[in-house]
Structure formats: structure tokens, C-alpha cells
Amino acid sequence: MELQLGLPLPTHNFIENFDLNNDGFDPKDDMVGLKPWNCEDGYLGNKRSFEVAFGKNIKGGSQELPLLSWSGQPNDEDDWKGEKKISCSINMNDEEENQVVGWPPIKSWRKKMLHHQHQGAHVVNRNYRMVTGNHENGAGSNTRYVKVKMEGVAITRKIDLRHYNSYQTLTNSLTSKFAKCQNLEKDAAHFTLTYQDRDGDWLIAGDVPWQTFTESVQRLEIVRNAG
Amino acid sequence: MLRKASLFPEEMLEHVLSFITSDKDRNAVSLVCKSWYEIERWCRKRIFVGNCYAVRPEMVIRRFPELRSVELKGKPHFADFDLVPDGWGGCVYPWIAALATAYPLLEEIKLKRMVVSDESLEVIAKSFKNFKVLVLSSCEGFSTDGLAAVAANCRNLRGLDLRESEVDDPSGQWLSRFPGSFTSLASLNISCLGAEVSFSALERLVGRCPDLKTLRLNHAVPLDKLANLLRGAPQLVELGTGAYSAELQPDVFSNLAGAFSGCKELRSLSGFWNVFPGYLPAVYPVCSGLTSLNLRDANIQGADLINLVSQCRSLQRLWVLDYIEDSGLKALAACCKDLTELRVFPSDPYGAEPNVSLTERGLVSVSEGCPKLQSVLYFCRQMTNAALVTIAKNSPRMTCFRLCIIEPRAPDYQTLQPLDLGFGAIVENYMDLRRLSLSGLLTDRVFEYIGTYAKKLEMLSVAFAGDSDLGLHHVLSGCEKLCKLEIRDCPFGDNALLANAAKLETMRSLWMSSCSVSFRACKLLGQKMPRLNVEVIDERGPPDLRPENCPVEKLYIYRTIAGPRFDMPGFVWTMDGDSV
């Protein structure tokens, strides 16, 4: 990858342009005849300067009439920062501390759909009344998602068990999904597929009939064999 | 020698103008002189109103007496992400009522993010004898009863497109209201509907409309019925499947594959809810001709996904979930050299850990392999300045670049630096960039770059970025073509806003939520700028019950010649001269 991190920026000082006491004024900014706003004056303190501002005719006809001129002083004392917000802070909903409203920016109705997809319920569109409720992965639902983790791999994947009809198809698919991570194909004999059943116990996959397995499995983990 | 414009025959000018259809060109024509303004307004057929509150319907009607097509947008874009409280506004009824009286020959109505009642749909259905096209994009407030009225009454309907709207949908019977003699349908998009539609009514409708080119079904249409529909409409150009799963049966599969093979004109595919991968090869016969593939609802992963995408060598547009991963994007870059638009959506946006291996490398591969790339929407969990610089240099034709790094304020994960330089390279290299969405850790510096370089930028979306008012000031003072600016959770306050007040009249709208703009500044702005509506949206209650220097929750400022609106709910206040 090519790296070039130095960006040529205009060399003049942005702040200077907007300090009206500076003679090196860029005419196209059209901020003529205005006194620099000074926070000591108080916000609406100097009414006359505002009258002056709106009385002046700006050259060139384009009306650039800022309500106050840019004094180049960001974050004056009136600005809000951290602690100063306390007096009228917006009520943060503590329960939602992990989820910011509207972030990430995905359409709100899709959120509901995703939520249901991950719960394993029937994936419907967003007309919420159609959803048959937050039931478990039971008959009648079209998807059967379980998480699959592999020892030593950061990413936990999700698979839909309905796509498979036997242990063989399942392990083939997992092999191809995780192969690039851990050379699973070559060392298949060194890994074991385990699963957690409804009772919370971890068992080795393959001992019970496939159908029984799919009904009871909650999550999968691929572990290295000891020794 | 210069002749007065009025000596030029009107009929000739009108004839010339009939070839000029773009809004911008029409607007420019109307500014040449008074007589051109008059001639133009009498022959303008289509109008686009980007903000339904910027102008009153009567004003439009008075100026343009011969409209045939009206397009309106309502709520601000951030309404898509639940940032605009319900009830804010955007009701279309007053417009529909006015249009119904003024334009009996109206043919098209296109609405986006508006509240549309069944009553509005009934008025549309009964008022316009030659009504042809209804598009309701991300709208809400109506039910299938309203649709039934449209179906029953609009004898010449050519297009009904409900894309992404929220429809109260108790039954699918409305489709049967299209009379048996109705054959003009060319485009039908019902993908957002929840309930089952009457399949036999759908099948008959599809079978008797020879011009049907676009058919987007909803998930409730089962896969085993799809083949019948396709055989009834082999001329389809755009198809959205229903649910794409069934038990794998060889005869269902071959029937479906055969039906797809018969659709020689098919160029766009979407749908694919609940995909059963075994059925994917049924679409392979059409893949080589596809220019658009939308898999955003498809839970296809790994090899199944890569195999499908690799068949689509003519692809120009791909929407896909991040199941495609970096490896799939690399394959995409290798096969789809005509790609112009890529959107990668998150499959698990709220998960604490990544569930797929999709990183900045995927986007870099696509930028390297697809020189025509113009439009990107990319959700990922990590990014570097180096990757952004590379992407910036690889894709000179980019016009729309939206990057969403899922964790707010995430830095360059290798250097832990802000992503200012990366986005700076983006705006410096993309000379035609019109739309940009930022994410990750960003200081005021990035806004300095944007103000300096993004001279064609029209829409900018900012979240969790910047350090001070200087950031906002750079954008407002530097981006000459800025039209829409939407900001959330940034430390921007009064100074930059007030110093650039005049700029706001040159833009369509500004949205700021969870920023630091005080009520006092809002009042001042509203008082001094009569051609702006300054709306304070605050669900905590009336802002004048709190100190004036308290920041408002949400602020929506838009230019308007309609004056303040009167349909505001209790949590919206318009600042005007009276409120100070």
C-alpha cells in the first residue's frame, strides 16, 4: 500500500482571516464593517453592533451578514464543555448506555429485523405485528442460528443449522469457514467439535442422532485436542 | 445585434424547453429574463420540492399551472435512525388536497419520508383520471386500505412502488382490487409489505400486464411459487424474490432454474430473504447479465456468496451484508470491473465483537480492482489513515463516500491517530465528491480539509467528531455547494452557527442534535433570519423553562418562503421574531 500522509494544506492561518482587525483580509469573505465579537461584551450586550451589522450593504451584492463576526476564539466561556452541562443536562437513559440512539446508522425497521434474525425467530419484514413473538428456535421458524467459536480465533461466527442435514455437511462447512484461520483442513484430527446443549452441558458432537442434536444445541465450539 | 428576448417566438422557446428536463437547468432558464420566466413556468411539467415545508402548495400551483409530476420530501434524513420523534410532521395531506384541485391531469406523485394517510391515497385515487406513477419511499401512516383504493380506481396506473415504507397491512386482499381489465402495470414494488398477498390475484395480475418490467415481491411469496410468476413475465428486467428457501427438492429446483433461464432481460435481482443456499444456483443462468444485485437481506455466507457474486461479471451495483468479508470483496474486485456502487451492511451491528472478517482491506481491494467505483457505503469495525489514502487515490470518480466505523470515535487502529489525514486525502482526491459521511476519531482538522477541498460537496453527515466550533465554521465557510448538513453528538455551539447565519439561507437544511447550540442562539437566529425556519425539537419540555444558555436537544433549520409551519407537535418550537 502506498503511504503518503503529508497533505499540503493552505499555509495561511485560518483564524487570521476572520479576525477583522487583521488588514490582510480576504475580500471574498465579505465580512466588512463588523466589529469583532468579544465575549466580554456579553452575548447580546452590544446591540448597536448588531444594528450596524444588518444596516451595512455588503459589496458585490451577495449578502453575507453574519450575526456575529468570527473572532477566531473557539470555545469561549459560553460554549458548552463537559461539566458545565450539568445544570441542564439531557437525561441519559442509563439502561441504554451500551446503545446510542440511532447508531450505527441503520434504518430503524431493519434494527427490528436484525434483532429477530439473531434471536432465531422467523425473519419477517418490519411490519411488527406479523412477528409471532419472541419464541425460541422452534418448529415453524425458518432459521436456527447458533454461534460457533473456535479456540484461538477472535471471531465468533454464526451459522444456520437448517442449512445442514448431517454432521458431515456441518463439519465440512465449518472446516472451510475456519480453515484459513488455523489450518483446520490439514490438522482436522487435532480438533474436536463440541456443543453446549439445553441443559448447559458441553458435549462432544456426533454421539446423538443429527435430529436430536439440532434440537438441543445452543452453541458450538471447536477445541484443540489435548496433547 | 442584441434583440429583445420577447421577439424570439414563444412557441419556439417552448419547443426548445421541452428538451430541457433537469430541475437545475429549468431553474436557470427561468432566471434569464421575465419573459423566459413566464414561458418556462407555463411549460414546466415536473417539480421536485426537497423540503415540503420550504414552500406552500399554493405557491407552487400559482407558479406552475401545468404540472404532471410532483416529487416531495418530508422528514430530515436522520429520521431514518429514530432521531426525529414521531409526530414531528411531514404530513402530505395538505399537498394532496391542493394538488387534487389544481391538477386534474397530474400523472405522478413521488414522496419520500412523508406521513401519508389512507385518506390521502383515496384522494389520489379519485382525483387524477390519468394517474400513472405512485412512489412512496420510506413513508408511513397508511394501510392496505389506501392501496386498495389506488388499485381499484387508477385505471392507467403504470407504477406502484412502496419501497421501504411502513404499511399497516392486515391483509393481502387489496391486490385483488385491480380490475380484470387492468393491464397497464409496468412496475410493482411491494417488498416492504408484511402480510401475504393473495397469490392467485398476483399471478393473474402479473400474467395480464405485458409491460411489467419491475416486480419486487415481499418475503411472504414462497419460493415454490416464484417459478410460475416468472413464466408469466419473462420480460421482467428487475426482480425481487420473496423468501428464498424451501426444502431442497430436485423438481422445484429445476422448475425454478428453468424459469430464470427464460428471463433473458433480467438485469436486477433483490429479495432473497431466508436463503437456502442449495437454491442459489437456480439464478446462475441470469447472473452474467445482471447489473444490479441486492443481497442486503440475504444471510448467505462464505463460498455460497462468493460463488454467486463471481458469476456476475457485468455487475455495476452490489448491496451485500458483511458476510462477504475481505476475501469476498477481493473476489469481487477481480471479477466485477464495471462496479460503480458498493454497499456493505453490518450483519451484527450491535454485537460487541466482530462476527465476520471484514476490515479496511476489503474496501482497499475493491478500490484497487474497480476503477469505475463512484458510490460507497461501508460499515466496518476498523480503519487506518493509510487505507483511506490508498482508497482516495484509487477511485477518482467517487461522488458518494460514506464510511461507518461502528464504534464511535474509533481511531486508526494501527497508529491510534485520528482519521483526519485519511478523510483529508478523500476530499482532496475526490474532485467530484457530492456526498460524504464521516466516522471514527476526528478532530477539527478534518473539517479544515473538508472546507478547503470539498468544493462540490452537497451533503455531509457528521457524528461524534470535532473539538470545537472551528470545525463547524470550516465547513460552513468553505463548502460552497453545501446543501444538506446533518450533525449529531459533536461539540459545536453557537459561535460558528451565528457567524455563518447567512450561509444557512443557501442550504436546504441543517440538522444538529446532541450538540451545544443554546436556546438563546436559536432565538437570535430565528429572529434575525426570517427566511429560515429554526425549529427547536426538545422532548424535555418548553425550552424557555430552562436557562437560555442551555443547549437544545435537537435543532432543525431550513430555508423557506412559506413562513413558520402550523402543524407542529408539542415538542417542536419555531423561533421567530415573536419568540425573542
Side-chain angles (χ1 to χ4, degrees):
Chain A
M1 278 192 307
E2 194 187 8
L3 280 185
Q4 206 184 81
L5 297 183
L7 263 187
L9 271 189
T11 51
H12 61 265
N13 184 345
F14 275 92
I15 293 177
E16 272 174 13
N17 262 356
F18 297 100
D19 180 357
L20 295 170
N21 293 323
N22 184 354
D23 286 345
F25 199 76
D26 189 349
K28 77 177 191 263
D29 292 322
D30 275 344
M31 284 164 65
V32 181
L34 299 166
K35 286 193 201 164
W37 180 78
N38 193 327
C39 62
E40 276 91 67
D41 284 343
Y43 214 98
L44 291 170
N46 192 348
K47 282 208 167 124
R48 197 179 308 148
S49 63
F50 286 115
E51 298 308 310
V52 164
F54 288 94
K56 286 276 185 185
N57 211 348
I58 300 300
K59 320 184 216 194
S62 76
Q63 310 229 343
E64 299 254 353
L65 295 172
L67 283 169
L68 52 89
S69 67
W70 183 252
S71 66
Q73 304 293 330
N75 286 19
D76 289 302
E77 61 206 35
D78 271 70
D79 274 17
W80 282 89
K81 269 192 169 174
E83 299 75 18
K84 289 189 186 164
K85 285 188 188 173
I86 291 170
S87 59
C88 44
S89 58
I90 295 170
N91 278 333
M92 289 297 284
N93 190 341
D94 289 324
E95 294 88 68
E96 288 164 338
E97 66 212 86
N98 290 329
Q99 270 195 34
V100 180
V101 173
W103 191 266
I106 57 178
K107 294 207 170 129
S108 43
W109 55 268
R110 287 196 177 278
K111 259 177 16 191
K112 292 174 192 156
M113 208 172 81
L114 276 174
H115 182 67
H116 275 267
Q117 199 165 31
H118 287 274
Q119 301 254 332
H122 183 57
V123 176
V124 292
N125 82 328
R126 16 66 80 72
N127 189 334
Y128 220 38
R129 292 171 327 149
M130 282 305 296
V131 172
T132 47
N134 188 5
H135 58 249
E136 299 189 4
N137 298 324
S141 89
N142 273 13
T143 58
R144 179 75 170 90
Y145 280 104
V146 292
K147 288 191 178 174
V148 185
K149 190 161 180 353
M150 175 158 173
E151 206 178 309
V153 175
I155 290 174
T156 302
R157 294 182 189 276
K158 259 192 186 129
I159 57 167
D160 183 354
L161 280 181
R162 299 226 159 205
H163 289 178
Y164 311 102
N165 53 17
S166 68
Y167 285 108
Q168 193 59 49
T169 51
L170 174 63
T171 51
N172 286 349
S173 170
L174 289 178
T175 303
S176 71
K177 280 189 169 52
F178 284 95
K180 25 187 191 308
C181 307
Q182 293 283 341
N183 258 336
L184 189 55
E185 270 177 32
K186 285 190 192 164
D187 304 332
H190 297 178
F191 290 89
T192 305
L193 181 62
T194 65
Y195 71 103
Q196 188 179 38
D197 71 0
R198 269 192 198 200
D199 301 326
D201 300 322
W202 282 94
L203 307 167
I204 295 179
D207 288 343
V208 299
W210 173 254
Q211 206 51 40
T212 317
F213 167 73
T214 58
E215 278 158 22
S216 103
V217 61
Q218 299 302 298
R219 56 208 304 175
L220 291 162
E221 186 165 340
I222 304 171
V223 296
R224 278 183 184 282
N225 293 339
Chain B
M1 185 170 138
L2 193 64
R3 289 287 189 177
K4 286 199 324 201
S6 58
L7 293 181
F8 195 77
E10 277 189 23
E11 296 80 12
M12 194 174 298
L13 184 59
E14 232 183 270
H15 181 68
V16 169
L17 290 184
S18 66
F19 296 101
I20 297 179
T21 50
S22 110
D23 293 316
K24 292 201 161 94
D25 291 341
R26 279 270 174 171
N27 291 346
V29 163
S30 68
L31 292 176
V32 168
C33 62
K34 274 200 173 138
S35 65
W36 280 43
Y37 176 92
E38 280 300 308
I39 294 166
E40 192 284 317
R41 77 180 186 89
W42 276 96
C43 66
R44 183 154 347 181
K45 295 281 180 279
R46 355 182 100 248
I47 189 158
F48 167 71
V49 178
N51 174 4
C52 64
Y53 290 120
V55 64
R56 281 197 297 274
E58 309 80 73
M59 295 164 157
V60 172
I61 292 165
R62 192 164 54 231
R63 182 172 169 189
F64 301 113
E66 296 291 328
L67 292 180
R68 296 286 179 270
S69 165
V70 174
E71 187 176 344
L72 300 174
K73 290 190 180 180
K75 299 185 203 176
H77 174 237
F78 273 178
D80 285 354
F81 316 129
D82 290 334
L83 290 179
V84 179
D86 276 343
W88 170 84
C91 276
V92 80
Y93 187 79
W95 279 88
I96 302 297
L99 296 175
T101 321
Y103 302 119
L105 297 178
L106 194 69
E107 295 175 359
E108 290 187 359
I109 293 177
K110 301 182 185 177
L111 306 175
K112 187 165 186 180
R113 285 193 208 96
M114 296 201 78
V115 179
V116 182
S117 59
D118 282 342
E119 201 186 347
S120 297
L121 292 178
E122 279 153 30
V123 171
I124 292 173
K126 296 187 177 148
S127 309
F128 308 113
K129 294 300 159 214
N130 204 21
F131 195 71
K132 297 207 168 98
V133 174
L134 181 63
V135 177
L136 301 175
S137 174
S138 303
C139 294
E140 54 169 350
F142 62 102
S143 76
T144 46
D145 290 346
L147 297 179
V150 172
N153 291 284
C154 298
R155 297 299 157 97
N156 298 310
L157 195 69
R158 290 186 54 77
L160 179 61
D161 185 342
L162 305 177
R163 56 180 87 154
E164 312 215 333
S165 291
E166 273 195 49
V167 187
D168 197 12
D169 189 10
S171 83
Q173 293 311 309
W174 66 277
L175 209 62
S176 323
R177 301 295 304 277
F178 282 109
S181 55
F182 171 76
T183 58
S184 53
L185 202 61
S187 167
L188 181 65
N189 179 350
I190 53 169
S191 54
C192 62
L193 293 183
E196 249 179 64
V197 289
S198 152
F199 186 77
S200 51
L202 178 63
E203 203 175 8
R204 286 194 304 271
L205 180 65
V206 167
R208 68 175 183 270
C209 293
D211 293 333
L212 191 68
K213 297 280 195 298
T214 298
L215 179 64
R216 306 252 189 226
L217 304 168
N218 69 338
H219 76 94
V221 177
L223 189 59
D224 52 354
K225 302 257 173 76
L226 183 59
N228 288 359
L229 279 180
L230 291 181
R231 291 194 198 279
Q235 76 284 1
L236 277 181
V237 175
E238 300 182 325
L239 172 72
T241 72
Y244 206 80
S245 69
E247 282 196 17
L248 192 55
Q249 288 166 358
D251 50 335
V252 173
F253 179 89
S254 56
N255 194 18
L256 187 60
F260 270 112
S261 308
C263 294
K264 308 268 184 230
E265 309 296 320
L266 211 50
R267 297 287 170 267
S268 165
L269 273 184
S270 62
F272 295 105
W273 286 280
N274 295 0
V275 174
F276 188 84
Y279 275 104
L280 282 176
V283 305
Y284 287 179
V286 299
C287 283
S288 59
L290 286 184
T291 55
S292 168
L293 183 58
N294 180 351
L295 298 173
R296 102 161 275 188
D297 293 307
N299 56 334
I300 325 175
Q301 304 187 37
D304 297 320
L305 182 51
I306 297 183
N307 286 343
L308 177 60
V309 168
S310 310
Q311 309 257 339
C312 303
R313 301 192 164 267
S314 311
L315 212 55
Q316 292 167 19
R317 180 199 303 176
L318 176 65
W319 292 19
V320 72
L321 286 167
D322 55 8
Y323 291 135
I324 195 164
E325 299 190 316
D326 290 341
S327 51
L329 289 176
K330 201 164 169 194
L332 177 73
C335 338
C336 302
K337 295 305 185 182
D338 288 337
L339 198 70
T340 58
E341 177 177 333
L342 175 67
R343 297 195 192 186
V344 179
F345 297 97
S347 53
D348 187 14
Y350 305 108
E353 295 142 20
N355 64 323
V356 291
S357 178
L358 179 99
T359 70
E360 77 280 7
R361 289 188 288 276
L363 188 55
V364 170
S365 312
V366 176
S367 75
E368 278 166 359
C370 305
K372 299 185 188 174
L373 200 59
Q374 267 176 21
S375 173
V376 166
L377 170 62
Y378 198 75
F379 283 81
C380 61
R381 287 175 188 266
Q382 63 183 52
M383 188 50 61
T384 64
N385 281 307
L388 283 173
V389 170
T390 307
I391 292 162
K393 290 188 184 303
N394 286 338
S395 306
R397 299 203 200 176
M398 196 72 71
T399 56
C400 170
F401 187 77
R402 296 190 278 167
L403 178 66
C404 180
I405 304 166
I406 287 176
E407 181 65 32
R409 303 193 186 89
D412 174 324
Y413 76 94
Q414 284 176 347
T415 64
L416 299 184
Q417 293 299 301
L419 292 172
D420 299 335
L421 286 171
F423 277 105
I426 293 282
V427 291
E428 195 194 356
N429 285 275
Y430 293 165
M431 311 288 293
D432 291 323
L433 192 67
R434 294 210 173 66
R435 185 168 180 185
L436 177 65
S437 295
L438 305 172
S439 58
L441 182 64
L442 297 165
T443 72
D444 284 345
R445 202 114 229 263
V446 74
F447 299 108
E448 200 177 359
Y449 292 136
I450 292 172
T452 306
Y453 293 110
K455 293 305 184 187
K456 292 202 179 160
L457 193 66
E458 295 173 6
M459 182 169 179
L460 178 64
S461 306
V462 185
F464 307 103
D467 308 311
S468 75
D469 273 46
L470 201 49
L472 179 57
H473 177 68
H474 284 312
V475 171
L476 289 177
S477 57
C479 296
E480 291 156 5
K481 299 276 182 174
L482 195 63
C483 174
K484 286 184 284 183
L485 178 57
E486 47 186 24
I487 301 172
R488 61 163 298 174
D489 292 274
C490 295
F492 300 148
D494 300 344
N495 295 356
L497 200 56
L498 295 177
N500 292 282
K503 171 72 174 176
L504 299 177
E505 272 190 18
T506 69
M507 293 164 54
R508 183 187 299 172
S509 65
L510 167 64
W511 169 277
M512 292 178 75
S513 55
S514 304
C515 295
S516 307
V517 180
S518 72
F519 181 51
R520 183 168 54 195
C522 295
K523 284 196 294 187
L524 185 61
L525 207 54
Q527 184 196 18
K528 296 296 183 186
M529 310 290 293
R531 285 186 305 205
L532 292 182
N533 273 359
V534 177
E535 291 190 8
V536 169
I537 300 165
D538 208 318
E539 289 181 288
R540 297 170 296 175
D544 51 14
L545 298 183
R546 287 181 290 278
E548 271 200 342
N549 57 354
C550 203
V552 299
E553 213 170 62
K554 299 172 185 180
L555 175 62
Y556 185 48
I557 301 174
Y558 52 90
R559 67 176 171 190
T560 179
I561 54 173
R565 60 183 175 113
F566 299 110
D567 61 348
M568 293 176 302
F571 51 82
V572 177
W573 294 267
T574 298
M575 309 286 105
D576 54 28
D578 300 334
S579 66
V580 176

